[in-house]
Amino acid sequence: MENSPQLRGWLDQFNLDHPLVIAGPCSAETEEQVLKTAHQLKDTDTSVLRAGIWKPRTRPGNFEGVGALGLKWLQKAKEETGLMTTTEVANPIHVDLALKHDVDILWIGARTTVSPFMIQEIAEALKGTEKTVLIKNPVNPDLALWLGAVERFYKQGVKNLGVIHRGFSTYNKSVYRNIPEWQIPIDLQNEFPDLPLILDPSHIAGKRNLIFELCQTALDLNYDGIMVETHYNPDKAWSDAKQQITPNTLIELTENLRVRNKVS
Ligand code: PEP
Ligand code: MN
């Protein structure tokens, strides 16, 4: 895979003078929750609404997502707010359903990036399409697996690509839920400087109070965007409640980043 400015082309459509903001709940829970959050996000810097429909929980027994039903809610949110949408796909059936419901951007979860078999199947399902695909780092700190996933999409002609840095799991205790290991995305960017890089501070932090400093570090490292889990009532979220913020807190976050970085 050659490095190519073409990889960044999909970012142009947003016409932004600040990093791309993707925000929305960890999980789509109800139609009301998705719409309410989306409407509140309309008044923020957010360009793309995120919500997980199929949730890859590490252990069974937790909320595993509403499934395809949630795609209709995302569609409605897009119609009502004009926000673009993104959701996680983990197999070719998900891809098919997401495409049928006009999801704008697909993301690959950290537990999928570890599986070259699954990545290959998803990449083949998207063969030759213009779809934008954002690939989260694998759960484990393995640069080759991450690069390999990017290359599998590229080889199928999927060239509107980006990567999401969501941190890496560790058995050792840490203040982070997933340790950032900033060097890994830097090494990835050294190979593919034109591949857009987005920070997911929510899954790195695991709690709200570390999100700002993680975003600041990402800006210092010239990341292209952030994906922040945002819920109109975070404490009541059905998944990842501790790390989600309200749309109002997101406004504060981006304003503070703006002031600190003196960008317009
Ligand atoms: C998510 O974005 O809600 C999610 C499940 O993320 P990850 O794949 O990074 O764990
Ligand atoms: Mn989550």
Side-chain angles (χ1 to χ4, degrees), residues 26 50 55-56 88 107 109-111 136 166 203 229:
C26 176
R50 64 148 283 156
K55 298 303 297 180
E88 174 174 350
W107 95 72
R111 291 163 194 77
K136 287 201 174 195
R166 53 76 80 195
H203 291 89
E229 285 193 335

Side-chain angles (χ1 to χ4, degrees), residues 31 112 125 187-189 217:
E31 181 171 341
T112 304
D187 287 347
L188 180 131
Q189 272 220 310
T217 304

Side-chain angles (χ1 to χ4, degrees), residues 154-166:
Y154 193 82
K155 282 189 168 188
Q156 295 302 320
V158 182
K159 297 189 174 167
N160 291 318
L161 291 171
V163 289
I164 302 176
H165 172 209
R166 53 76 80 195

